[in-house]
Amino acid sequence: MRITETITYHAPVDVVYAMKTSPEFQERKCADSGALRHDVAVREEGAGAVVVTRRDLSSDGLPDFVKSIVGAHLSVTETYRWNAPSADGSRDGTLTVEAAGAPVAMRGTVRMEPQGGSTHLTIDGDLKANVPLIGGRIEKAAAPAFIKALRSEHESGRRWLDERS
């Protein structure tokens, strides 16, 4: 199942990139997402960075057949790998989101592009459930949670930037 989300941040790419690779911002987005427990790791990699968050989230709100697979809590690992900036300042990379103990993951690309003094951030990925016969049903049930998590991170980012402008 294809998931594509685009958001505009009212800040230049270098400022948005600094936010996205800030351990303090990553801590905040985990707290904002309602994580019961979380862990954050950020490391530079050349002129880019790798950002890994691990969150334990409540499975409340997921369909019963999904809860029967994952239990009361869902442990989610999200990995962003950012490349060096392009000549125009844009950045691209990859995003992987995996849920421990669940046969579902999202893999895709991320891109930050300058638009005047703002930044368009686009996430484009495939959500896959590797379960014979019911994989599509699991993907349809999981997609809203993945989209909600992406939008929660975007809202955390908007508030973060507003507080610092």
Side-chain angles (χ1 to χ4, degrees):
M1 169 175 274
R2 196 83 173 159
I3 294 178
T4 302
E5 284 287 311
T6 300
I7 186 156
T8 299
Y9 289 109
H10 299 293
V13 171
D14 60 330
V15 172
V16 175
Y17 177 76
M19 172 188 71
K20 292 286 192 176
T21 58
S22 159
E24 294 81 14
F25 170 72
Q26 294 299 320
E27 292 279 345
R28 176 154 171 196
K29 88 170 189 189
C30 289
D32 288 352
S33 73
L36 305 169
R37 190 177 66 79
H38 67 272
D39 180 42
V40 171
V42 178
R43 75 175 188 276
E44 289 183 22
E45 191 171 86
V50 177
V51 179
V52 180
T53 61
R54 290 179 184 84
R55 292 178 257 187
D56 289 341
L57 302 165
S58 171
S59 62
D60 289 346
L62 294 175
D64 289 338
F65 81 94
V66 174
K67 282 197 254 185
S68 70
I69 296 170
V70 301
H73 301 101
L74 185 61
S75 183
V76 177
T77 300
E78 175 185 83
T79 304
Y80 282 92
R81 291 187 175 276
W82 291 104
N83 297 321
S86 299
D88 68 353
S90 64
R91 287 207 183 240
D92 61 8
T94 61
L95 170 63
T96 304
V97 182
E98 299 172 311
V104 64
M106 187 176 101
R107 289 175 174 67
T109 59
V110 290
R111 182 156 177 79
M112 289 186 208
E113 296 179 283
Q115 297 291 321
S118 295
T119 300
H120 284 261
L121 185 139
T122 302
I123 296 171
D124 186 28
D126 287 311
L127 178 66
K128 295 282 184 196
N130 295 318
V131 179
L133 303 176
I134 63 167
R137 186 173 169 208
I138 292 172
E139 291 168 7
K140 286 179 186 172
F146 277 82
I147 292 167
K148 180 179 177 185
L150 293 172
R151 290 178 181 167
S152 173
E153 178 175 345
H154 296 326
E155 285 305 313
S156 294
R158 284 182 176 152
R159 285 191 304 275
W160 178 273
L161 292 169
D162 286 349
E163 291 166 4
R164 284 153 181 79
S165 62

